[in-house]
Amino acid sequence: MNSIMYISMMAANRMLEKQAIIANNLANISTLGFKEQLVTQTLSSINNSKLYKNDSIISEKNYLYSNFSSGPINYTKRNLDLSIKGNGWFVVKDYNSKHQEGYTRNGHLKINSDGKLMINNYLVMGTSGTISLPKNKKISISSSGIIYLMDLKKEKIKNKILGKLKLIDTDPKYLKRGNNGIFYLNKQGRKKLGKVIPDNHHIRLNSGMLEDSNVNINENLINMISNERSFSIEMKIISNDDENSQRANQLLNINS
């Protein structure tokens, strides 16, 4: 293997990784609160590599980051559909860890058979833990996240408070992407903020609205086509280089 083939193979691998990210973005166009994942490529020099001890090889590496801009708002008129005004996150319980919370922009709340408030099968966290609601009762959620019991006959809010949604805000640099659109604190975030971020009482909600995915369809489709063409070029370079190497070996055999 020569340096040209090696560089093209590395570039092709990076393009396959990028294509998988683009495909995942497009697959989550309809996922509520989904944050688009973006890719940038960095170049670095590999000196004295095992393959080429006397050469300096330029290597490409993909750097992944998330687009945290807000997605478009979808009006549903459902009282358990919430969207966050500006920055902020809903908090869910991470069932894979006893010590971590997860964060999402998906405000499509549901009540399970046990009366627990859920988002995408994750338990919703309140300021005092998970939220349990009385069965067959109607609730109302204020713009500050306070959950009130409603009088079904009079369609009025009772004074009884059932809990408050925990809403947090933090610098995106402290977050890492998990599954199902859930984000978690990364190592830097846990070191800086601890395992749990406190409730932010300044965050406000819109009721009857949901935040859609912020994936830019047109941009991702263009990137997918461009990436596919670049991959084809790299594969052509590898094929031509392999063909040239075979011809060179044949000439050497004839001369010898």
Side-chain angles (χ1 to χ4, degrees), residues 21-244:
I21 295 299
I22 296 172
N24 185 61
N25 285 337
L26 292 173
N28 283 280
I29 289 173
S30 301
T31 302
L32 295 172
F34 180 82
K35 296 305 171 190
E36 180 182 36
Q37 197 166 18
L38 304 175
V39 183
T40 58
Q41 289 183 329
T42 59
L43 299 178
S44 60
S45 177
I46 304 175
N47 295 311
N48 297 322
S49 66
K50 292 181 179 180
L51 291 175
Y52 309 103
K53 295 182 179 180
N54 299 320
D55 294 333
S56 178
I57 305 297
I58 301 300
S59 174
E60 290 183 350
K61 183 178 181 180
N62 286 337
Y63 175 72
L64 307 181
Y65 62 100
S66 297
N67 174 13
F68 287 102
S69 64
S70 298
I73 299 299
N74 178 29
Y75 294 85
T76 66
K77 297 182 180 180
R78 179 175 174 268
N79 69 325
L80 286 181
D81 285 342
L82 305 171
S83 66
I84 295 176
K85 297 180 182 179
N87 298 327
W89 300 85
F90 297 101
V91 182
V92 295
K93 185 177 181 181
D94 179 15
Y95 46 75
N96 293 320
S97 171
K98 297 180 180 179
H99 308 292
Q100 253 192 317
E101 294 178 337
Y103 311 111
T104 179
R105 294 281 293 190
N106 179 1
H108 185 57
L109 277 63
K110 293 182 178 180
I111 303 172
N112 68 9
S113 57
D114 296 324
K116 294 283 188 178
L117 208 55
M118 309 284 291
I119 294 177
N120 262 2
N121 297 321
Y122 289 87
L123 289 169
V124 175
M125 296 297 294
T127 53
S128 301
T130 57
I131 300 173
S132 296
L133 303 174
K135 294 183 178 180
N136 302 320
K137 299 292 182 179
K138 190 173 182 180
I139 63 171
S140 175
I141 302 176
S142 72
S143 61
S144 60
I146 299 175
I147 304 171
Y148 293 96
L149 182 65
M150 291 195 68
D151 190 323
L152 291 176
K153 293 182 179 180
K154 298 181 180 179
E155 287 291 328
K156 291 183 178 180
I157 297 175
K158 292 184 177 182
N159 291 328
K160 186 175 181 180
I161 296 176
L162 301 176
K164 182 190 179 302
L165 295 174
K166 183 177 180 180
L167 305 169
I168 66 99
D169 189 17
T170 188
D171 192 320
K173 71 180 181 181
Y174 296 136
L175 299 177
K176 64 178 179 180
R177 181 185 295 268
N179 298 323
N180 298 324
I182 305 297
F183 284 81
Y184 303 94
L185 285 175
N186 55 27
K187 290 182 179 180
Q188 183 184 5
R190 291 196 299 272
K191 184 176 180 181
K192 179 75 174 180
L193 306 172
K195 294 179 180 178
V196 176
I197 302 176
D199 175 66
N200 187 330
H201 62 275
H202 296 294
I203 296 174
R204 291 295 177 265
L205 304 173
N206 287 316
S207 181
M209 305 179 192
L210 289 172
E211 180 181 336
D212 286 334
S213 165
N214 70 348
V215 173
N216 187 317
I217 302 174
N218 293 332
E219 185 175 322
N220 276 270
L221 286 174
I222 291 171
N223 288 339
M224 176 172 279
I225 295 170
S226 176
N227 197 61
E228 184 177 356
R229 288 175 178 172
S230 297
F231 178 80
S232 297
I233 291 172
E234 296 297 340
M235 296 306 294
K236 184 66 175 177
I237 292 173
I238 293 172
S239 177
N240 290 341
D241 192 67
D242 182 54
E243 185 177 341
N244 290 336

